[in-house]
């Protein structure tokens, strides 16, 4: 959600252009008994073979982590939370784990950031709606999902179309809970079908293979460890489960925009809750070991810093 600050502040200077161009591709990964020497160099284990297929979407516009403190809060809602200690971290205190990857911000900053996300993103959400409709249509039949970086809940209107869907919304900013609950109520998501957890993507406090889908829109730009987050996504997904994503990505190497992103990145991380302008997130998703990745790209012509985005689904 951190990138929303960029979009919100940028839109105050430059109007969002409704013209969007896009392209798409599909990556299918399947295990093979052997690889070419160039693929297997430096690795003794066989990795998935990836084949590029034209098509995919057509645009119209395991690590174990636990949460003792959440068990009591979730008693009334039977979500698949862990209740024992984290085996891979130095402390069983989940709050310490959260602070490890997302150090606490001053209260005034968290309040201000939540207000910016809530009030400053309406035009952007209108522009991106066509993409999200395609992504969230893939959730038909899902019963339980978790959204990492839920923010103020801009995606709840898409969840509400699936009757009976249970949603866990995670965000390291506790202030977001108030906004998320208001958005859930406005969208018609029943209170018993929604739970907010203060948490981070690097340590999702859910059991292995416990949810039908993981959703992350504009969140990998700001996590502390992208690779670990994607491993956690795969861990909590049931076999065949979906990871639904929409992320902004770095401009091409050697372009003026990429040079600008590199130069502004330190300042961006400071003012936009850890958001990175120059991450190659699409590449990270393709190389994360999902069995099937459907990834499309879109370009916003009037968003000077984040005009390139990727979106789609990945199957466990």
């Amino acid at each position: 959600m951190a990138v929303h600050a960029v979009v919100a502040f940028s839109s105050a200077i430059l109007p969002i252009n409704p013209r969007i161009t896009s392209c798409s591709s599909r990556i299918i990964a399947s295990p093979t008994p052997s690889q070419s020497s160039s693929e297997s160099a430096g690795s003794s284990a066989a990795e998935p073979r990836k084949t590029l297929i034209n098509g995919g979407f057509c645009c119209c516009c395991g690590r174990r982590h636990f949460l003792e403190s959440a068990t009591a809060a979730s008693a009334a809602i039977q979500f698949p939370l862990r209740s024992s200690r984290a085996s891979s971290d130095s402390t069983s205190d989940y709050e310490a784990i959260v602070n490890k990857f997302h150090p606490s911000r001053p209260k005034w900053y968290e309040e201000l950031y939540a207000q910016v996300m809530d009030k400053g993103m309406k035009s952007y959400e209108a522009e991106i709606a066509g993409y999200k409709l395609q992504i969230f249509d893939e959730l038909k039949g899902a019963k339980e999902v978790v959204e990492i970086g839920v923010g103020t809940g801009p995606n709840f209107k898409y969840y509400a179309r699936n009757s009976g869907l249970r949603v866990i919304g995670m965000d390291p900013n506790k202030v977001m809970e108030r906004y998320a609950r208001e958005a859930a109520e406005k969208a018609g998501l029943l209170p018993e079908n929604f739970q907010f957890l203060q948490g981070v993507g690097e340590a999702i406090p859910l059991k292995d293979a416990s949810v039908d889908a993981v959703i992350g829109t504009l969140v990998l730009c700001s996590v502390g460890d992208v690779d670990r987050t994607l491993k956690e996504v795969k861990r909590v997904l049931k076999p065949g489960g979906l990871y639904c994503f929409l992320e902004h990505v770095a401009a091409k190497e050697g372009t003026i925009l990429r040079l600008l992103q590199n130069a502004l990145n330190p300042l961006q991380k400071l003012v936009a809750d850890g958001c990175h302008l120059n991450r190659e997130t699409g590449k990270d998703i393709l190389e994360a070991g999902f069995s099937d990745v459907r990834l499309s790209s879109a370009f916003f012509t009037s968003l000077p810093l984040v005009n390139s985005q990727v979106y789609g689904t990945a199957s466990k």
Side-chain angles (χ1 to χ4, degrees):
M1 301 304 293
V3 71
H4 288 183
V6 176
V7 179
F9 293 137
S10 297
S11 62
I13 302 173
L14 293 174
I16 294 180
N17 191 325
R19 293 178 301 166
I20 302 171
T21 59
S22 64
C23 60
S24 62
S25 62
R26 180 179 179 185
I27 301 294
I28 296 178
S30 57
T32 59
S34 63
Q35 294 177 292
S36 66
S37 58
S38 61
E39 290 175 322
S40 59
S43 175
S44 58
E47 297 181 358
R49 180 178 68 250
K50 298 179 180 178
T51 305
L52 178 64
I53 302 178
N54 293 330
F57 287 108
C58 181
C59 300
C60 60
C61 19
R63 293 191 69 87
R64 299 171 180 262
H65 303 281
F66 308 92
L67 179 58
E68 295 181 356
S69 61
T71 304
S74 63
I77 307 175
Q78 297 303 310
F79 287 111
L81 300 177
R82 284 194 181 274
S83 59
S84 47
R85 74 181 186 281
S87 61
S88 301
D89 290 275
S90 60
T91 176
S92 62
D93 183 355
Y94 188 70
E95 183 178 353
I97 297 174
V98 172
N99 288 331
K100 173 183 176 181
F101 292 103
H102 188 275
S104 60
R105 273 63 166 170
K107 186 70 173 180
W108 67 263
Y109 178 88
E110 292 188 337
E111 289 280 1
L112 176 62
Y113 193 76
Q115 291 179 22
V116 171
M117 299 302 98
D118 187 54
K119 304 298 183 183
M121 293 303 301
K122 298 185 185 301
S123 59
Y124 173 78
E125 288 297 331
E127 290 293 327
I128 208 70
Y131 293 108
K132 287 189 175 182
L133 281 171
Q134 293 179 68
I135 296 170
F136 285 88
D137 274 348
E138 299 292 324
L139 295 181
K140 291 178 180 178
K143 299 299 182 182
E144 290 181 323
V145 304
V146 58
E147 180 173 350
I148 54 176
V150 68
T152 59
N155 295 327
F156 288 148
K157 60 184 177 183
Y158 305 102
Y159 296 135
R161 301 191 307 162
N162 291 350
S163 178
L165 181 67
R166 289 177 286 180
V167 180
I168 303 171
M170 289 178 50
D171 202 285
N173 185 346
K174 188 66 167 63
V175 175
M176 295 293 188
E177 179 176 7
R178 181 174 75 255
Y179 293 91
R181 291 195 179 279
E182 291 175 357
E185 182 179 1
K186 183 178 180 180
L189 189 64
L190 297 177
E192 59 267 28
N193 287 343
F194 172 65
Q195 182 178 15
F196 180 92
L197 294 177
Q198 185 178 15
V200 292
E202 295 91 340
I204 301 175
L206 303 179
K207 295 178 181 179
D208 295 354
S210 58
V211 294
D212 300 304
V214 177
I215 293 86
T217 60
L218 304 176
V219 64
L220 291 183
C221 61
S222 59
V223 298
D225 189 327
V226 175
D227 290 339
R228 177 163 172 163
T229 299
L230 292 172
K231 288 179 181 178
E232 281 291 274
V233 168
K234 290 192 299 178
R235 180 183 66 78
V236 301
L237 280 174
K238 295 177 181 178
L242 284 181
Y243 169 44
C244 301
F245 59 88
L246 187 155
E247 301 287 347
H248 75 85
V249 295
K252 290 183 179 180
E253 284 283 3
T255 63
I256 295 177
L257 179 56
R258 182 59 176 270
L259 293 174
L260 184 61
Q261 289 175 338
N262 293 340
L264 293 178
N265 199 56
L267 177 62
Q268 171 70 6
K269 290 189 294 183
L270 179 64
V271 302
D273 205 22
C275 173
H276 294 68
L277 295 172
N278 55 1
R279 281 184 171 171
E280 297 182 352
T281 308
K283 180 180 178 181
D284 293 330
I285 294 171
L286 290 174
E287 296 178 351
F290 291 99
S291 63
D292 181 275
V293 178
R294 302 187 180 198
L295 181 150
S296 298
S297 60
F299 302 90
F300 287 76
T301 59
S302 293
L303 298 179
L305 295 180
V306 289
N307 67 355
S308 181
Q309 298 187 7
V310 296
Y311 69 101
T313 61
S315 303
K316 180 174 180 179

